[in-house]
Amino acid sequence: EKGYETGEHAPGLKLGGCGAYKAAHHIIKTHAKVWHSYNNTWRSEQQGMVGISLTSDWGEPVDPHSQTDRDAAERYIQFHLGWFANPIYRGDYPETMKKYVGRKSAQQGLGTSRLPTFSAQEKTYIKGTSDFLGIGHFTTRYVIQKSFPFLQVSSYHTDRDLAELVDPKWPAPGPKWLYSVPWGFRRLLNFIKTQYGNPLIYVTENGVSEKVQCTQLCDEWRIEYLKGYINEILKALNDGVNVKGYTAWSLLDKFEWNEGFSERFGLYHIDFNNKNKPRYPKASVDYYKMIISANGFPNPREVMS
């Protein structure tokens, strides 16, 4: 969406209302082709696995008792995660996506929907092409119904007919989009379990950045973030969600899309001004090391020698 619709990211195309859907369509078909290629050629010999990694926020209805809010939150997730996961696990785009994009396209006077369609053959070919699901997750939004008049220029955002809200009490240590809302992760993982038949899950990205350079390397908000989110994954495991592994995002400060080197997700601070790029551990390194060595949260009563 940022690469093919708003043009914020590479390749910087502004193909309003169509580009993102077309790009996604090709990604899904290509993914399936790679899976089949591995399945037919290498699997018997290597016993490897091929999956896809999808990044998704969680959407929580503003009023859980309101059907409109619940539907809007459902749309938020389906337009986010379901867009890619639904074809791979269930054979087609989510119904709500087809309905909303189709209706908006018709209102614009278009003969066909801006959301491409899969042939019956393609649906069969794509369904089931994932041995595991990689999940990148960072934050949560409250979601409410919001109608966008069809006179506006069409876009992925206006197709969804919803508005995203945040709670001002949520900690927001990094960029304006990343609020720390650990409970959203457990809900997302449980949603995946019920929607897609409890697939094997690897958490491929989860972490928080800092906008302000922390000269003392005292990133206690990252420690709190990791503690909260890992704790919710452990709760999801108790719920029966099939989470197999976890990867904190990220080991080092690095180049971050259109933010360049200004947004730092690393457990290790990199001095980009020095030609040798020296690395310095932030406080979160010791905390994360402790979690790894204990394979979970250390016993608070245990005396560390």
Side-chain angles (χ1 to χ4, degrees):
E1 185 251 337
K2 285 187 167 70
Y4 290 86
E5 185 149 312
T6 64
E8 290 169 69
H9 290 176
L13 302 178
K14 297 182 180 178
L15 308 169
C18 296
Y21 297 135
K22 277 185 184 165
H25 201 66
H26 289 305
I27 287 169
I28 293 161
K29 291 204 286 186
T30 311
H31 161 78
K33 187 155 191 173
V34 172
W35 187 91
H36 282 286
S37 168
Y38 185 83
N39 197 48
N40 299 333
T41 314
W42 300 105
R43 191 187 296 276
S44 56
E45 190 184 320
Q46 297 179 345
Q47 301 297 309
M49 294 197 300
V50 177
I52 193 165
S53 185
L54 304 174
T55 300
S56 182
D57 298 342
W58 174 248
E60 182 75 11
V62 168
D63 178 3
H65 304 295
S66 149
Q67 191 60 50
T68 11
D69 283 6
R70 286 210 304 272
D71 291 348
E74 169 83 11
R75 273 198 309 285
Y76 180 81
I77 305 287
Q78 295 294 1
F79 267 79
H80 229 95
L81 179 70
W83 185 3
F84 295 87
N86 221 72
I88 290 168
Y89 284 96
R90 302 175 76 163
D92 199 4
Y93 289 122
E95 285 304 316
T96 187
M97 254 189 119
K98 293 196 287 187
K99 179 179 155 190
Y100 272 72
V101 182
R103 192 172 64 203
K104 300 256 180 183
S105 303
Q107 286 172 343
Q108 290 174 281
L110 300 173
T112 54
S113 174
R114 286 179 282 101
L115 182 71
T117 52
F118 294 114
S119 67
Q121 195 180 356
E122 285 170 338
K123 287 177 187 176
T124 311
Y125 186 73
I126 292 162
K127 188 178 178 183
T129 57
S130 206
D131 305 320
F132 67 88
L133 178 59
I135 283 292
H137 174 75
F138 294 91
T139 194
T140 284
R141 294 285 183 269
Y142 279 121
V143 181
I144 196 166
Q145 158 82 25
K146 181 184 180 180
S147 297
F148 289 92
F150 64 86
L151 300 169
Q152 289 185 327
V153 182
S154 64
S155 79
Y156 165 79
H157 276 281
T158 56
D159 282 342
R160 304 177 304 169
D161 273 355
L162 57 86
E164 301 171 38
L165 310 173
V166 295
D167 185 332
K169 292 195 287 291
W170 289 344
K176 58 182 183 294
W177 62 271
L178 211 173
Y179 291 79
S180 179
V181 196
W183 53 260
F185 203 4
R186 182 185 184 183
R187 295 186 186 199
L188 178 67
L189 291 167
N190 272 283
F191 176 88
I192 291 164
K193 176 190 166 194
T194 53
Q195 287 275 317
Y196 309 127
N198 203 11
L200 178 62
I201 295 172
Y202 286 91
V203 177
T204 44
E205 292 184 33
N206 173 240
V208 65
S209 62
E210 71 239 27
K211 273 288 199 199
V212 183
Q213 194 170 319
C214 174
T215 45
Q216 266 69 51
L217 305 175
C218 50
D219 57 345
E220 63 288 332
W221 65 86
R222 185 172 283 109
I223 290 171
E224 285 306 309
Y225 182 97
L226 291 169
K227 186 194 289 182
Y229 277 76
I230 291 169
N231 193 33
E232 291 298 321
I233 297 168
L234 293 171
K235 289 179 192 175
L237 277 167
N238 283 338
D239 299 334
V241 180
N242 194 7
V243 183
K244 190 73 174 176
Y246 173 85
T247 316
W249 188 263
S250 61
L251 180 68
L252 312 168
D253 290 338
K254 52 166 181 40
F255 189 84
E256 185 63 34
W257 298 94
N258 53 329
E259 299 294 333
F261 296 109
S262 68
E263 196 167 312
R264 295 168 176 269
F265 273 90
L267 296 170
Y268 283 83
H269 173 84
I270 309 288
D271 182 357
F272 292 113
N273 297 321
N274 184 316
K275 71 176 192 331
N276 297 321
K277 310 282 186 288
R279 305 165 179 190
Y280 304 100
K282 301 175 188 176
S284 52
V285 166
D286 281 337
Y287 181 73
Y288 195 49
K289 273 182 182 172
M290 205 164 63
I291 287 177
I292 291 167
S293 60
N295 194 27
F297 293 110
N299 185 336
R301 294 181 182 175
E302 190 179 328
V303 179
M304 304 303 253
S305 55

